[in-house]
Amino acid sequence: MFRAVAVPVIGAAVLTLPTLPTPAQAADTQSLVDALRAAAGKPPGVRATFAKGQCVRGTYTPSADAGQVTRSLSFTRPWPLVGRFSVGGGNPSAPDTTKTVLRGFSIKILSEGGDTHLLFENAPVHFARTLDQMLGFLQVRAPGPDGKANPEAIAAFAKANPETTRQSAFVAGKPLPGSYAGIVYWGVHTFTGTNLAGQTVPFKFKVVPGAGEIGLSDEEAKGKSAQFLVAELTERIARAPVTFDVVALLAEPGDDLTGDITQRWKNEDERRALKLGTIAVDALEPNETCDEGIFDPGRLADGLGAPDDEIFAARRTAYGISFGQRAK
């Protein structure tokens, strides 16, 4: 499915983790978390988004080509991992049969001397270009006095901000996911690897299911319960580990590396890809294992540079704020 290629030298500098947010950015991030919770009706004790999910455990095994992209111990050696499959939004009881809601997959590669945490979702783009746009998107979806959002306000915002419709259009164009194990997940942001030769390699993560994409027709979906995904995953893992290829989509000249994450790179599905390794999920894990902390998007082992866009910079703060609220 993927072919190994020579990785171009993009530059000699190594990206570093983003600096701590300024007070103004932290205030914006608090507003985002509040808006996420408001859009979901403020259920207590749950994540601000991707509130519904199942913790799992497994392993990561590197491919022979991983060192062409990154020297990171997390990706060039085998390790155990903890993961969490999830359904988007802040409703912990969201029906699995809702087609337009995002599905997520978060992992912690438990590499000695420096773990790596990564967040993936079943769309290759984010739903907002800037923090202000993200806040506006969420605020128009807050329930009114009748407990419902105003569809006219949502439509007006979408018309004024067309880039906020790209993610939902992508998800709506796919069949309802029939299994957590049959979803293609993306990292959305541009990371920068420092490879074994000391070269910097910008790329995006793509996580491809070994079982292929598993989708349900509208008729098949009618026969599914609102909570079928975990039951299906349980039965599947009992037969064999669930596997995914972790793939690096390599940047090309002219790609936007730091700006609009509501847009894909040109010909992204057809471009050069390099397999970093394989994830094998072999057991369900008690949800308490995942709930006792966070999947911290800023936690990256040496050899993997953080994305340089404002949405990613806000995410680390947002996850910490959300954890503090649900832990009360």
Side-chain angles (χ1 to χ4, degrees):
M1 182 179 296
F2 305 103
R3 58 188 178 91
V5 298
V7 179
V9 179
I10 307 299
V14 178
L15 293 184
T16 58
L17 292 178
T19 57
L20 292 176
T22 64
Q25 183 181 327
D28 288 342
T29 306
Q30 177 70 64
S31 299
L32 289 173
V33 175
D34 292 343
L36 282 164
R37 297 189 67 250
K42 299 183 179 180
V46 299
R47 290 168 171 80
T49 189
F50 293 102
K52 179 181 182 179
Q54 176 60 53
C55 197
V56 295
R57 59 181 166 84
T59 58
Y60 168 82
T61 303
S63 78
D65 297 325
Q68 294 186 47
V69 176
T70 176
R71 69 188 180 204
S72 170
L73 291 178
S74 291
F75 292 95
T76 56
R77 295 185 185 180
W79 300 106
L81 66 78
V82 172
R84 184 175 183 267
F85 293 109
S86 56
V87 176
N91 178 7
S93 301
D96 294 343
T97 49
T98 304
K99 179 179 177 181
T100 55
V101 177
L102 282 176
R103 270 61 174 176
F105 183 31
S106 301
I107 63 170
K108 298 179 182 180
I109 300 177
L110 305 177
S111 45
E112 295 176 5
D115 297 350
T116 292
H117 298 189
L118 295 169
L119 317 174
F120 309 119
E121 57 193 39
N122 67 325
V125 295
H126 191 53
F127 64 83
R129 181 173 52 84
T130 66
L131 296 182
D132 287 343
Q133 191 177 64
M134 185 173 174
L135 183 60
F137 178 96
L138 296 168
Q139 287 176 334
V140 298
R141 285 163 171 75
D146 62 352
K148 300 178 181 179
N150 183 339
E152 294 181 355
I154 292 174
F157 183 86
K159 184 176 181 180
N161 300 268
E163 58 267 62
T164 64
T165 66
R166 293 169 186 158
Q167 185 190 79
S168 59
F170 182 90
V171 174
K174 293 282 190 177
L176 176 75
S179 172
Y180 282 131
I183 297 173
V184 177
Y185 300 94
W186 282 267
V188 178
H189 305 273
T190 302
F191 292 78
T192 298
T194 301
N195 68 18
L196 291 174
Q199 302 160 344
T200 55
V201 185
F203 71 96
K204 291 182 181 180
F205 282 104
K206 185 177 182 180
V207 180
V208 182
E213 290 191 78
I214 301 172
L216 303 176
S217 67
D218 292 343
E219 191 62 31
E220 289 172 326
K222 291 178 182 178
K224 297 294 184 181
S225 74
Q227 316 298 329
F228 79 90
L229 283 173
V230 171
E232 195 280 342
L233 183 65
T234 303
E235 294 175 4
R236 185 176 293 270
I237 290 177
R239 297 192 298 269
V242 168
T243 63
F244 297 88
D245 285 343
V246 182
V247 176
L249 301 177
L250 304 178
E252 296 178 352
D255 287 337
D256 181 359
L257 304 182
T258 63
D260 187 356
I261 59 172
T262 70
Q263 296 197 79
R264 304 187 73 183
W265 288 339
K266 183 179 180 181
N267 301 323
E268 192 171 288
D269 288 326
E270 290 78 38
R271 68 173 49 210
R272 301 163 298 165
L274 194 66
K275 180 178 173 181
L276 298 176
T278 300
I279 291 171
V281 176
D282 54 25
L284 270 61
E285 181 76 8
N287 280 325
E288 290 77 9
T289 300
C290 291
D291 293 344
E292 65 185 10
I294 64 173
F295 290 82
D296 181 352
R299 190 81 173 269
L300 304 171
D302 176 66
L304 186 62
D308 187 19
D309 66 74
E310 66 176 86
I311 301 295
F312 187 89
R315 272 185 158 170
R316 185 172 189 177
T317 309
Y319 277 71
I321 291 171
S322 177
F323 176 73
Q325 292 180 345
R326 65 182 167 91
K328 291 180 179 179

